[in-house]
Amino acid sequence: FSPDGETLMAVGPYQYVSFFSVEKRERIAELGLDNIAVAGAWLPDSERVVVGKTNGTLESWHVPSAERIWSRVATRGEITALALRPGTPEIFVATSSGVLDRPFSVVDGKRGNLHSTGWEGGRPRVTSMAFSPDGSRVAFATKQGNILNLQPGSMVSAKRIHSHEGAIRGVAF
């Protein structure tokens, strides 16, 4: 859902992203891409989104005008998940290969600038991320079957919660 609750974004695995009116229950916009989209996140203004693609590229789009705002290569591998930290323009970006040997990075959703990279101590393959409603905690699901929980400001270590054998595909607060 967009932060205002009026629009749903549907992502991949296609070379486009679709947007649907919640009230009208119909498609209202579509963005054509040059690579397959695998993840998406809304910015707080409910008009801009960030899309992650299989080629490791992040793109920011203004949905009403269908204009691309910025594009950047975020990783050598595939982007696996995106999550907006509530109350900020920070987008957490999980990648299949890691960034600077870390499992995720933090990007300014407005400008595309890299803020920081994830915690030290291992490279779990992050499959999904979710923030607590107040943005004070973030949970990561991993391909290794763990849930990792940390305070976004620390970025040093994560508390591991073993879930089950096999990959975890989603996590939510």
Side-chain angles (χ1 to χ4, degrees):
F1 284 98
S2 58
D4 63 13
E6 295 181 10
T7 308
L8 281 170
M9 175 175 36
V11 178
Y14 308 105
Q15 286 187 268
Y16 60 87
V17 177
S18 298
F19 299 89
F20 298 86
S21 166
V22 173
E23 182 180 323
K24 297 177 184 176
R25 299 174 50 182
E26 62 185 30
R27 186 184 319 217
I28 57 173
E30 187 172 279
L31 302 175
L33 307 172
D34 63 356
N35 200 277
I36 296 172
V38 290
W42 286 94
L43 290 177
D45 65 9
S46 295
E47 290 189 352
R48 293 174 293 161
V49 297
V50 174
V51 176
K53 302 185 300 183
T54 57
N55 66 356
T57 302
L58 286 174
E59 292 182 349
S60 177
W61 291 82
H62 182 254
V63 176
S65 67
E67 291 184 21
R68 186 170 65 189
I69 300 167
W70 56 259
S71 178
R72 74 167 288 143
V73 175
T75 180
R76 295 179 307 271
E78 180 177 321
I79 291 172
T80 57
L82 298 177
L84 173 71
R85 184 175 183 188
T88 75
E90 293 178 343
I91 303 286
F92 278 49
V93 182
T95 67
S96 63
S97 65
V99 177
L100 304 174
D101 291 326
R102 308 291 172 88
F104 72 95
S105 59
V106 182
V107 173
D108 177 347
K110 290 182 180 179
R111 295 177 188 85
N113 300 328
L114 180 69
H115 279 310
S116 60
T117 58
W119 64 84
E120 298 173 355
R123 283 181 41 185
R125 296 228 18 227
V126 175
T127 57
S128 177
M129 298 179 282
F131 277 93
S132 61
D134 66 0
S136 67
R137 307 287 303 168
V138 61
F140 299 87
T142 72
K143 191 170 185 176
Q144 295 87 351
N146 296 308
I147 296 171
L148 305 170
N149 185 358
L150 66 97
Q151 292 176 323
S154 70
M155 297 301 178
V156 175
S157 62
K159 294 181 181 177
R160 179 179 161 268
I161 303 166
H162 185 75
S163 176
H164 54 76
E165 298 304 316
I168 300 174
R169 297 287 177 204
V171 64
F173 268 92

